[in-house]
């Protein structure tokens, strides 16, 4: 069992976020550290009078100097604590129909079956075999991400406190799930803010192959968990792909998929009966996988196109050439990494959406997204509104979109609602 080595005293009047169960404590809220604590150690968080409020792990090198693990300062942080938190996260996926039988057993405390009995894919066509099991702060495990890809788990240790405990957490995951292998993909830029270097290495078991085939809503995709974006695939867009992949929306339509990566939105569009799909990405290797993903799902079609190039330049070229589409998907990478970049990011989002709106036929569909956490949903909608005014188009919001259900948003932690999108009809 771990015990706090020191007490983190908050400034007078700065305890409200803790009382409201927000998991982050910034350096500006701290009065002083009472006692000795090494980076990554557990500390008791207390108000300015010394009354205990929570237990957190501590990193003086980060702007977020403490991340809360428990709002009950008397709760032991031991073997059972970590098991309970992991089981709770896994149970959440079982509730939305994603967990396997082994994962459901893990929530009940029964031992998992041997690794060889984890489901062997290809799976039944209704199966989804790639999804998030642990979503960091939103699952009350700040800094820990665990994604499942078939028989393998991919974990990200994004903070010093989790990085120090990753061996123990690996053991708990093995104890609960017995995966074929656990790959650590701790190569996100955010680790630099914690004083950590990138790490990509095996933590347990067999190494996953350079390319895995996984299922999502019965569609098959090739994933590179070693080098692919995020942990290999944009799992957070699963529900949005399903929403857009409706034959009533796309049957017979020409679809432009921008920032296509490995073509997942394009596969759903083709499955919905789209007559032609054009996929645009800056990466030629990603587009080659996109074409293979289309073929893997039975859509090797000569009229589809795969365009390697800068998205803004390609859209401008289409506008100058007078090309039009019935649906456009915009799923760009993060534009704002700091508050100082928000204004520039909004200009980029506005330009991008303005170009897309100019390419749509009357009655066409625009699915537009932002994964910049610092650009809130209201601000993003205002940006798209500004683009619509400048483009001279009437735009109806059909649906507000967000991250898939395996990426839950903790109500006391609004920062976890990073992905926002709009499905619009354009006249």
């Amino acid at each position: 069992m771990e015990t706090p080595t020191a007490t983190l005293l908050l400034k007078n009047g700065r305890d409200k976020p803790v009382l409201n169960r927000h998991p982050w404590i910034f350096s500006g809220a701290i009065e002083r550290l009472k006692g000795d604590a090494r980076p990554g150690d557990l500390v008791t968080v207390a108000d300015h009078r010394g009354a205990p409020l929570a237990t957190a792990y501590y990193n003086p090198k980060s702007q977020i100097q403490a991340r809360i693990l428990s709002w009950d300062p008397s709760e032991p942080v031991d073997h059972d604590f970590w098991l309970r938190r992991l089981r709770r996260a896994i149970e959440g996926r079982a509730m939305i129909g994603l967990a396997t039988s082994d994962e459901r057993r893990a929530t009940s405390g029964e031992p998992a079956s041997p690794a060889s009995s984890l489901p062997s894919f290809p799976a039944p066509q209704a199966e989804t075999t790639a999804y998030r099991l642990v979503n960091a702060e939103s699952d009350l495990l700040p800094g820990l991400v665990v994604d499942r890809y078939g028989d393998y788990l991919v974990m990200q240790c994004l903070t010093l406190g989790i990085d120090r405990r990753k061996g123990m957490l690996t053991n708990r995951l093995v104890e609960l799930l017995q995966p074929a292998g656990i790959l650590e993909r701790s190569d996100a830029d955010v680790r630099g803010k914690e004083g950590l270097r990138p790490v990509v290495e095996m933590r347990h078991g067999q190494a996953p192959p350079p390319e895995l085939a996984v299922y999502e809503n019965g569609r098959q995709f090739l994933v590179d968990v070693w080098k692919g974006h995020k942990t290999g695939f944009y799992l957070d867009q699963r529900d949005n792909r399903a929403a857009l992949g409706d034959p009533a929306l796309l049957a017979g339509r020409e679809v432009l998929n921008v920032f296509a990566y490995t073509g997942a939105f394009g596969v759903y569009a083709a499955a919905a009966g789209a007559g032609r799909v054009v996929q645009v990405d800056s990466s030629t290797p990603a587009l080659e996988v996109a074409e293979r993903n289309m073929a893997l799902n039975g859509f090797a079609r000569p009229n589809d196109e795969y365009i390697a190039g800068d998205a803004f330049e390609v859209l401008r070229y289409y506008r100058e050439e007078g090309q039009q589409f019935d649906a456009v998907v915009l799923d760009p990478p993060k534009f704002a990494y700091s508050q100082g970049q928000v204004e520039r990011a909004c200009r980029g989002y506005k330009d991008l959406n303005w170009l897309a709106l100019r390419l749509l036929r009357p009655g066409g569909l625009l699915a537009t997204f932002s994964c910049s956490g610092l650009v809130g949903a209201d601000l993003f909608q205002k940006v798209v509104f500004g683009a619509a005014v400048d483009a001279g188009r009437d735009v109806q919001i059909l649906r507000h979109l967000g991250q898939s259900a395996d990426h839950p948003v903790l109500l006391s932690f609004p920062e976890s609602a990073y992905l926002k999108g709009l499905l619009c009809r354009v006249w």
Side-chain angles (χ1 to χ4, degrees):
M1 183 177 77
E2 295 185 73
T3 56
T5 60
T7 298
L8 202 64
L9 292 167
L10 302 179
K11 293 178 179 177
N12 190 8
R14 301 300 295 271
D15 56 356
K16 185 175 180 180
V18 178
L19 296 173
N20 287 339
R21 303 179 79 86
H22 193 284
W24 289 354
I25 299 176
F26 289 88
S27 57
I30 298 171
E31 180 66 42
R32 64 186 176 93
L33 181 69
K34 182 180 178 182
D36 294 322
R38 296 176 302 150
D41 280 356
L42 294 186
V43 295
T44 296
V45 179
D47 65 17
H48 71 285
R49 296 180 298 271
L53 302 174
T55 300
Y57 61 72
Y58 173 66
N59 184 4
K61 298 179 181 179
S62 174
Q63 184 184 7
I64 304 170
Q65 291 202 354
R67 295 175 191 258
I68 294 175
L69 289 172
S70 174
W71 281 270
D72 178 0
S74 66
E75 181 179 17
V77 180
D78 55 12
H79 174 277
D80 288 342
F81 171 88
W82 298 103
L83 279 179
R84 285 194 304 273
R85 288 295 168 86
L86 290 170
R87 281 185 179 134
R88 176 172 168 171
I90 295 165
E91 183 179 25
R93 279 64 189 176
M95 291 174 67
I96 57 173
L98 287 177
T100 66
S101 57
D102 272 329
E103 289 162 350
R104 293 188 184 100
R105 274 194 293 274
T107 68
S108 67
E110 298 176 25
S113 54
S116 60
S117 70
L118 268 173
S120 224
F121 305 115
Q125 286 299 298
E127 190 75 59
T128 292
T129 64
Y131 47 88
R132 179 149 296 181
L133 278 174
V134 178
N135 195 38
E137 278 84 349
S138 289
D139 280 310
L140 306 183
L141 287 163
L144 177 65
V145 170
V146 182
D147 291 336
R148 176 179 178 151
Y149 291 98
D151 291 351
Y152 298 91
L153 300 181
V154 180
M155 67 185 297
Q156 288 186 313
C157 304
L158 302 177
T159 58
L160 178 61
I162 290 297
D163 194 76
R164 272 189 50 184
R165 295 163 178 84
K166 62 187 177 184
M168 175 273 298
L169 288 165
T170 298
N171 292 338
R172 299 293 79 77
L173 288 167
V174 172
E175 182 179 346
L176 287 170
L177 300 175
Q178 291 292 313
I182 299 178
L183 170 66
E184 182 183 355
R185 272 290 305 273
S186 298
D187 52 355
D189 292 340
V190 69
R191 276 174 61 94
K193 298 178 180 180
E194 292 279 310
L196 298 168
R197 293 179 294 179
V199 173
V200 178
E201 64 182 18
M202 288 301 301
R203 302 297 311 171
H204 165 79
Q206 304 169 16
E211 197 169 66
L212 276 172
V214 298
Y215 280 87
E216 180 183 272
N217 295 324
R219 296 167 180 84
Q220 199 169 14
F221 296 96
L222 301 172
V223 175
D224 180 354
V225 296
W226 288 92
K227 297 178 181 178
H229 293 183
K230 292 196 169 183
T231 60
F233 196 58
Y234 287 98
L235 300 172
D236 53 1
Q237 287 281 20
R238 183 186 63 258
D239 293 348
N240 299 325
R241 289 190 282 262
L244 192 61
D246 183 344
L249 296 175
L250 297 183
R253 304 292 188 97
E254 286 187 281
V255 178
L256 176 62
N257 181 23
V258 188
F259 304 98
Y261 187 42
T262 55
F265 272 109
V267 169
Y268 276 77
R276 174 172 172 253
V277 178
V278 178
Q279 314 230 45
V280 178
D281 200 88
S282 60
S283 168
T284 298
L287 286 174
E288 290 171 351
V289 178
E291 189 167 6
R292 291 168 61 205
N293 279 333
M294 290 284 275
L296 193 63
N297 288 276
F299 306 119
R301 310 183 308 181
N303 59 329
D304 292 335
E305 292 186 63
Y306 302 86
I307 309 297
D310 177 87
F312 289 87
E313 293 178 4
V314 173
L315 294 181
R316 289 190 185 99
Y317 171 79
Y318 283 152
R319 179 175 62 86
E320 292 166 2
E321 292 294 307
Q323 292 200 42
Q324 290 194 309
F325 298 86
D326 300 302
V328 177
V329 179
L330 300 176
D331 186 20
K334 184 186 291 189
F335 283 179
Y337 289 87
S338 66
Q339 193 63 46
Q341 295 176 340
V342 169
E343 184 177 349
R344 180 180 177 184
C346 288
R347 290 197 299 269
Y349 288 126
K350 183 178 180 180
D351 190 21
L352 187 64
N353 282 274
W354 179 83
L355 288 165
L357 290 166
R358 296 291 298 272
L359 297 179
L360 279 164
R361 297 185 178 102
L365 296 172
L366 173 66
T368 180
F369 297 95
S370 165
C371 63
S372 298
L374 293 168
V375 177
D378 289 345
L379 177 56
F380 182 62
Q381 183 171 320
K382 289 176 183 177
V383 168
V384 178
F385 162 75
V389 170
D390 289 355
R393 306 299 298 266
D394 293 318
V395 179
Q396 299 169 317
I397 297 175
L398 304 181
R399 186 179 298 185
H400 288 85
L401 304 171
Q403 58 228 50
S404 57
D406 55 338
H407 292 61
V409 175
L410 186 66
L411 195 57
S412 60
F413 183 56
E415 292 87 342
S416 54
Y418 65 93
L419 180 64
K420 72 288 301 179
L422 300 170
L423 177 59
C424 305
R425 184 183 289 117
V426 179
W427 298 100

